[in-house]
Amino acid sequence: MGVLKEHPELALFLCLALGYLVGKLRVGPIALGGICGTLIVSLLLGAWAEVQVSGDVKNVFFALFIFALGYMAGPQFFANLNRKSLRFFALCLIELVSVLGIAYGLAKVFDLDVGTASGILAGAATESAVVGTATEAIGKLGDLSPAQITQYQGHVATAYTVCYLFGLITIVLYTSQIMPRLLGIDLADASRELWEKMRGGGHGLEADERAALPGLVGRTYLVTHADGRTVGQLEAELESRITVEAVKRGSRLLPPAPGLRLTLSDLVLVVGRRANAIEAGRIIGPETPGIPGLDTPLASRQVAVTDKATHGVTIDQLQHQHPEFVKDGVYVTELQRGDQRLPAAGETVLHRGDVLTLVGARSGLSKVVGKIGAAVKNDATDFIYLGLGIVVGSLIGQIVITAGDVPMSLGTGGGCLISGLLFGWFRSRSQTFGAFPPQAASTLKDMGLALFIACTGLVSGPQAWPLLKEYGALLPFAGIAMVLVPATLSLVIGRKLLKIEKPLLIGAIAGQQCSTPAITAITQTAQSSVPMLGYTITYTLSNFLLPLTGPLLVGVLGA
């Protein structure tokens, strides 16, 4: 214990290691997760060893976390501020009003201090960032003594831990198991039907999986039925859904120009979607095994959508707008939005900043990339851009606005969140500056939050037990109620008034709660990534809006 007191960095990383180990414990579809596990371990260790960690360390890690969070969400946050997303935005407003109203009501009815009320808000909403923004806001309340500030900040962490645990279990079970029954659907069947309606087919794959029947294929055919047709006529007959990549006549390879006339016994390599390539065989002739020298390599490239004209169009519309896709045989095989993989279906709407994986001939790829955006490079992190963004965020956080007698300030957390959104958005518009690779941003986000939570728990440990004795029964009730109320309201309003498709609605409700475990359980139940299409919109919006509720609640109760 003495070693931990003298070297708090040991306690900090011990909490990180043990916390993520505890977070791996799973009961059915429920797992605590590393953040909640870290907070539990740090609270216990803090109560036992009374480790002191500098508040500046905590602030630095929180600033890194919240900026990275905003940076990753920025492109999609601004993309979702449109008419098409208004119905999903309404779900986020239901979440905000509900959790703020319930937290404020509980504080008044049970005479809760500002720290306990803020912890209930953060935990029940399963939004860890609120812990930071609320803790920081409490530290700026001028009428509290240093001892009261420390006590109330400790109450934030303790109330968060208990409410998070019950809120997490509730949102996972409610969205993945109970909501489909309330809506009268089999989630897997409903997702598959919606997917087929979107003309995508198939279901989502895990990170370590590959499709046994890939959508994009190459096939070789022996010309019999197509004798006398030109390459251009053949492609036109199939509505340009396939491309002829190579023609072999005897021992010679011929360039597949549109005017080239096919003759009996030519060997033709076609590339396209599986169904279209099979259809081509009915027109050309029998399929043959792979022919040495006939195979043409296809290149793959990731491109960030930056052209203004591509924003808001579907993948099908994009391919029609740019004839180079068809002419040069370039196909969209994957779509990534932030850190989420979405179905690359023809009906999927593109946002500026999306990353498309294109497959085709190398020459054709270069033409298409130049038309719709910029090639994604695995650049090293631009620390100039990163550092400047956090400085700007810190300065924004120092601005104080007085509403009546209530001083309102975003604090470093809220300021860095806004600057992260703006800096991420600016980056997505050109992709030529401010590189912050997704893997680096995700690592910095997760580590920053985990270490901030560890610092908070170590300092708050001594206040945990008295609070649990005083409000032990209230905290689980609050955690459950603050999930069920907004989720049920969103379910009814989203279906009856907003007419959101059922699989998308269930995913969107998980997103308004910012619950990654919930969407994981939903996609497993659905055996599809379709619910992710609703999740990404509300998740992005709530990730920005929920952290701002911390300073708002603290300001109102503190007044």
Side-chain angles (χ1 to χ4, degrees), residues 5 73 133 152 167 185 333 420:
K5 277 188 174 183
T133 55
Y152 292 162
I185 61 170
T333 60

Side-chain angles (χ1 to χ4, degrees), residues 410-436:
L410 291 174
T412 301
C416 285
L417 179 60
I418 290 176
S419 70
L421 288 169
L422 293 172
F423 275 60
W425 176 66
F426 279 128
R427 158 71 178 172
S428 71
R429 294 175 68 84
S430 68
Q431 299 287 332
T432 57
F433 61 90
F436 197 10

Side-chain angles (χ1 to χ4, degrees), residues 349-371:
V349 177
L350 297 174
H351 292 173
R352 197 170 184 180
D354 284 352
V355 176
L356 302 178
T357 299
L358 306 181
V359 176
R362 197 174 299 278
S363 59
L365 280 177
S366 300
K367 296 176 184 177
V368 170
V369 170
K371 293 281 186 179

